[in-house]
Amino acid sequence: MEKSFYYPVPWGDVAFLKEALIAMELPFRIEQPSVRLQLAPGEVAIVFSDMHMRDYNAVRELFGDHGKRYPQ
């Protein structure tokens, strides 16, 4: 999976978001903080590849904002 953008989320929100994304049939990964991906304590990243605008708009609506560019 080519990583394009991500949303940092608190661990407590992961179960709900994961279920919603599975129901939407959108591919994603959950990543821990790393050297490349700096996150606040207690956060993980839900990572996506490039997607159609319709799908991106649904993801943006779910998360309430635009995603952050995945570091290269």
Side-chain angles (χ1 to χ4, degrees):
M1 174 175 132
E2 185 176 325
K3 301 170 185 176
S4 179
F5 65 99
Y6 72 99
Y7 287 90
V9 297
W11 259 113
D13 294 347
V14 170
F16 165 76
L17 293 168
K18 182 179 174 181
E19 287 181 28
L21 292 166
I22 290 170
M24 296 164 66
E25 299 181 356
L26 295 173
F28 66 94
R29 290 195 181 187
I30 297 173
E31 293 190 9
Q32 301 284 337
S34 64
V35 173
R36 175 181 271 183
L37 192 59
Q38 301 292 318
L39 301 169
E43 285 186 333
V44 295
I46 299 184
V47 181
F48 299 91
S49 59
D50 286 334
M51 59 180 61
H52 293 287
M53 185 59 73
R54 178 195 55 188
D55 292 335
Y56 180 77
N57 285 335
V59 169
R60 184 176 50 82
E61 187 174 318
L62 177 65
F63 286 89
D65 201 358
H66 293 283
K68 296 182 178 190
R69 179 183 288 278
Y70 195 89
Q72 298 300 323

